[in-house]
DNA sequence: GGCCATTATATTGCGCGCACTTAAAATTGC
DNA sequence: GCAATTTTAAGTGCGCGCAATATAATGGCC
């Protein structure tokens, strides 16, 4: 297959065509990195009985306090199909409360329990541990973050 | 909360502690970008009745030809729990064959059907379309790819 | 040649993530 | 003030991903 040769050797007709090779694809690097990183979080989060998406919800609640599900979804870019059962599990673990708003009976307010708020102190170690494991300089991590955010904005807009 | 102020204003005790703020986390940018990109692939792959992980399997088969499941797993960094049912679905769609190796009855060889091989021609458009939507320069995409691969290697090694 | 560790795959269970549908409350239009 | 529309959430179904377990074939090893 011509794709197994370096670009310089390929026929001109294929020169401007993007490769179908796995190793040429930034998308696969992204896909693999996301799973590898989530796997790295797992042993850390196991100590709190949290999954990575659940940890993200806790981050938002620690930062913003009580929020309706809708707002959680906007911040995390997740829909109700994901959040509704996830939040019920967090509630079952005693970390959050779910309460209908009196002002708008459609809305469900999510707030931290004492126990959920407590967890924050112990969780402070996690970002540093992950930062260590990632092995990127602050500049590199910042660059990746900025480029990924542009990527997300671009592909979301072109839908 | 002190985390809502810029780093310069924070007390010294917190200065070298990594933030728990969602927006400060490269990990969330990675998590969000991966999902956004997969969502961008979806309408393209729907035309081939493929999911993104199934598309990755097809990429590998187009590139390498027939392979045992084990090798597919190594290349894609996926385990049997993911691959076994995924490959059965690809087989049900008539894109691949699954055959026990005579030389080693434990091994299952995965090969492309005529129809699976045919698909490659039509799939050639996909990388270019995604590249357009991503809106990064080739240099930027290359940098992200390289940094993500380092990240993956680092977090995998530190397990 | 039979025992034992290893290897390749399958199965089960669970938690996302997303599409699609349903339902109830709130808002808007007239 | 009531019908039509919009908003917020829940329910269902399906395909990953991964942990844990099971099973069968292989390869030493004595």
């Amino acid at each position: 297959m011509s794709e197994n040769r370096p670009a310089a050797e390929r026929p001109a007709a294929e020169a401007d065509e993007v490769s179908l090779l796995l190793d040429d694809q930034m998308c696969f690097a992204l896909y693999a990195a996301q799973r590898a990183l989530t796997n790295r979080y797992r042993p850390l989060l196991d100590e709190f009985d949290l999954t990575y998406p659940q940890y993200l919800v806790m981050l938002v609640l620690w930062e913003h306090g009580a929020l309706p599900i809708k707002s959680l979804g906007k911040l995390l870019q997740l829909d109700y199909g994901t959040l509704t059962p996830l939040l019920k599990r967090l509630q079952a673990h005693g970390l959050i409360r779910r309460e209908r708003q009196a002002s708008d009976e459609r809305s469900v307010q999510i707030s931290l329990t004492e126990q959920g708020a407590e967890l924050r102190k112990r969780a402070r170690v996690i970002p540093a541990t992950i930062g260590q494991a990632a092995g990127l300089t602050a500049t590199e991590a910042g660059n990746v973050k900025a480029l990924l955010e542009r990527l997300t904005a671009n592909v979301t807009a072109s839908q």
Side-chain angles (χ1 to χ4, degrees), chain A:
Chain A
M1 298 178 212
S2 61
E3 287 78 3
N4 282 326
R5 286 176 276 149
E9 296 179 23
R10 285 179 207 155
E14 296 183 23
D16 59 351
E17 209 175 280
V18 183
S19 158
L20 276 175
L21 290 189
L22 188 66
D23 279 348
D24 290 354
Q25 307 230 4
M26 181 208 56
C27 301
F28 175 67
L30 180 53
Y31 170 78
Q34 197 280 319
R35 285 184 302 117
L37 198 54
T38 300
N39 289 338
R40 189 61 183 76
Y41 269 97
R42 201 179 318 279
L44 304 179
L45 294 176
D46 277 351
E47 312 230 350
F48 306 93
D49 265 307
L50 290 175
T51 65
Y52 183 65
Q54 290 168 8
Y55 169 67
L56 291 178
V57 167
M58 296 303 288
L59 283 185
V60 171
L61 294 175
W62 288 330
E63 180 173 353
H64 292 93
L67 283 175
I69 300 183
K70 168 90 176 173
S71 306
L72 273 173
K74 277 219 174 91
L75 288 167
L76 295 173
Q77 300 165 40
L78 290 171
D79 71 357
Y80 293 107
T82 301
L83 286 175
T84 297
L86 184 157
L87 293 170
K88 286 185 177 173
R89 281 185 284 270
L90 285 181
Q91 183 184 30
H93 280 30
L95 299 180
I96 64 163
R97 271 185 299 269
R98 302 167 66 252
E99 291 154 331
R100 290 275 165 189
Q101 288 288 80
S103 57
D104 184 341
E105 287 280 342
R106 293 169 305 179
S107 176
V108 175
Q109 186 85 353
I110 305 297
S111 56
L112 290 164
T113 61
E114 184 87 4
Q115 194 188 341
E118 280 295 316
L119 219 58
R120 185 175 184 281
K121 296 169 196 159
R122 293 202 288 142
R124 279 180 164 277
V125 217
I126 294 179
T129 307
I130 293 293
Q132 283 280 322
L136 303 184
T137 67
T139 308
E140 288 170 335
N143 286 340
V144 171
K145 180 171 171 293
L147 286 167
L148 290 178
E149 283 168 353
R150 258 184 57 207
L151 175 65
T152 300
N154 289 340
V155 302
T156 305
S158 72
Q159 283 282 43

